[in-house]
Amino acid sequence: MPRTDNDSWDITQSVGATALGVAAARAAETESADPLINDPFARVFVNAAGEGVWSIYADPGLLAKAVELEPDVRSRIQLMIDFMATRTAFFDEFFLGAADSGVRQVVILAAGLDARTWRLPWPDGTVVYELDQPKVLDFKTNTLREHGAQPKARLVNVPIDLRQDWPKALQEAGFDASRPAAWSAEGLVRYLPAQAQDLLFERIHSLSADGSWLASNVPGAGFTDPELVRRQREDMQRMRAAAAKLVDSEITDFDDLWYPEERTPVDGWLREYGWDVATATFSELMARYGRSVPQDAGHAMPPTLYVSAQRRR
Ligand SMILES: C[S@@+](CC[C@H](N)C(=O)[O-])C[C@H]1O[C@@H](n2cnc3c(N)ncnc32)[C@H](O)[C@@H]1O
C-alpha cells in the first residue's frame, strides 16, 4: 500500500516489516561461519514474529526453496546480509567511540529491532532513548522481556511517529539538550519524504550540545536515477513473486515504502552547521569490513552514504 502522511504500522506491516528484515539479516550473519557482528536478540525477534517474507533470510530451508524458484535470490539475500552486517558494525563502532569520549546520552531514532541497548557494553550512567512507532516498540520491549533480557543501560522508550513533535516528547522523557548526545538514524531516512529528512536533521542539530555525535546512512549520489530505480524495482518484484509462492502471509511491497525524491546532501549540510564529518560509500564500507559487492548484484542496493559526525566544541 502506498504511503500516506499519517500512516502507522505494527512490526509485521509496512515500514515495520523492514525492521524485521534487518533483524532477520542480523540473525543470519550472527549464525554464519565467520560473523562480523553478534546479535543474539535478532533471532529472538524473528521467531516471535512468526513466518513472513523476512523468514527467507533466516531459514535456510526456505532460502533453498526460494533459490530453486529464482536463482538470483541467493546473491541478493547474501548482499542484503552483508549490507546489514557492515551497517551494524559501523553503528556499533560509532556508539562505542561516542561512549569512550564520555557521551552518556544516546538517542536511537527509528530504533526498530536494533538491540544495542541490550548488546553493547555501555558505561555506567548511560541512558538510551529509543524512538519508533508505538506498536514497534511494544513488540520489541515485550519480546525481550519475555526472553528475560536486561538492557545494559537505562532504557527510555519514546513511542512516537518521527513526523510529529518528537523533540518535545524526547525532552519530556528526560533528554537534556545542554549535554552532548550520540544520535543514530539508521535505516530511516529513505522512508521519510525529503522535507521530513531536512526537518529531522534540523531538529537533531538544535538539540545537540557541542561535542555531540551523529551517524546516519542516507541516500547517496544516483539514488533517484530512473534506470537504477527501474532495475531495482524489477529485481525486487522477481524476489517478491518467489517469496509469495513460499510464504503464507501478505508480502509487503517494499518499493511502495520509500520516497524517491532528491534530497539535501546531509554531509555538506552538517559541515555548514559546524560538524566535523566523515563519509563512506556502501562499497567503501563493505571493503572496510572485508566484504565485496558482486558485479551482477551491485545495482540491487540503493546508493547509500554512511555519515558520521561530531559537533565541534
Ligand atoms: C529499516 S528499519 C531500521 C530499524 C533500525 N534502525 C535498525 O537498523 O535495525 C526502519 C525503522 O524505521 C521506523 N520508522 C520509519 N519511519 C518512521 C516514522 N515516521 N516514525 C517512527 N518510526 C519510523 C520503522 O518503524 C522501522 O522500525
Side-chain angles (χ1 to χ4, degrees):
M1 253 211 312
R3 302 289 309 277
T4 55
D5 285 349
N6 288 312
D7 52 350
S8 67
W9 47 84
D10 72 20
I11 195 66
T12 60
Q13 299 166 329
S14 180
V15 194
T18 67
L20 268 172
V22 180
R26 288 191 185 125
E29 174 70 17
T30 298
E31 294 157 15
S32 69
D34 187 16
L36 183 58
I37 57 162
N38 178 26
D39 184 351
F41 303 109
R43 170 62 66 185
V44 176
F45 293 130
V46 173
N47 288 349
E51 196 183 72
V53 63
W54 50 86
S55 313
I56 294 178
Y57 293 91
D59 175 344
L62 208 56
L63 175 59
K65 285 186 196 154
V67 171
E68 272 173 34
L69 291 169
E70 183 59 71
D72 283 352
V73 166
R74 190 175 296 286
S75 67
R76 299 299 185 274
I77 295 277
Q78 188 52 52
L79 186 59
M80 187 58 88
I81 293 170
D82 287 336
F83 174 29
M84 294 310 162
T86 53
R87 183 171 109 183
T88 304
F90 169 83
F91 283 92
D92 281 0
E93 282 178 17
F94 163 80
F95 278 123
L96 293 174
D100 271 357
S101 81
V103 173
R104 296 290 178 268
Q105 273 191 126
V106 170
V107 186
I108 304 184
L109 298 163
L113 303 177
D114 164 350
R116 290 190 176 90
T117 311
W118 290 260
R119 263 190 325 106
L120 295 187
W122 300 104
D124 287 349
T126 303
V127 52
V128 181
Y129 298 92
E130 295 205 355
L131 283 73
D132 207 301
Q133 288 258 351
K135 288 180 189 165
V136 171
L137 291 183
D138 277 353
F139 170 82
K140 178 180 190 172
T141 310
N142 293 340
T143 303
L144 290 182
R145 191 181 298 126
E146 276 161 29
H147 185 69
Q150 293 294 330
K152 293 196 167 131
R154 187 161 76 80
L155 168 68
V156 180
N157 274 342
V158 184
I160 192 160
D161 189 297
L162 291 164
R163 293 162 292 189
Q164 294 169 4
D165 190 357
W166 61 263
K168 181 165 173 270
L170 181 62
Q171 287 174 294
E172 283 173 0
F175 178 82
D176 180 355
S178 69
R179 292 171 50 221
W183 302 86
S184 73
E186 178 187 9
L188 166 64
V189 167
R190 71 196 296 256
Y191 302 112
L192 296 176
Q195 268 191 340
Q197 169 183 323
D198 288 347
L199 183 60
L200 182 90
F201 288 107
E202 283 161 19
R203 284 168 155 178
I204 294 174
H205 176 72
S206 71
L207 290 169
S208 290
D210 294 350
S212 290
W213 291 49
L214 163 64
S216 190
N217 61 308
V218 298
F223 175 72
T224 53
D225 177 80
E227 177 57 13
L228 196 63
V229 171
R230 188 192 61 74
R231 290 182 71 193
Q232 277 162 13
R233 196 170 284 268
E234 211 175 80
D235 241 46
M236 185 60 86
Q237 292 310 338
R238 276 175 36 229
M239 305 298 147
R240 203 166 164 257
K245 291 187 186 139
L246 298 171
V247 173
D248 192 22
S249 65
E250 199 189 314
I251 310 260
T252 304
D253 189 344
F254 292 104
D255 272 332
D256 278 346
L257 303 180
W258 60 288
Y259 291 84
E261 299 173 353
E262 288 298 334
R263 285 148 191 276
T264 307
V266 174
D267 48 335
W269 187 89
L270 286 169
R271 284 191 186 100
E272 219 173 284
Y273 280 82
W275 295 71
D276 292 323
V277 180
T279 60
T281 62
F282 173 56
S283 36
E284 284 167 351
L285 197 78
M286 290 276 279
R288 186 184 296 173
Y289 292 114
R291 305 280 160 110
S292 59
V293 183
Q295 284 217 319
D296 67 328
H299 69 275
M301 274 309 142
T304 297
L305 192 69
Y306 294 85
V307 176
S308 56
Q310 289 169 43
R311 187 162 181 179
R312 281 193 284 280
R313 289 182 191 275

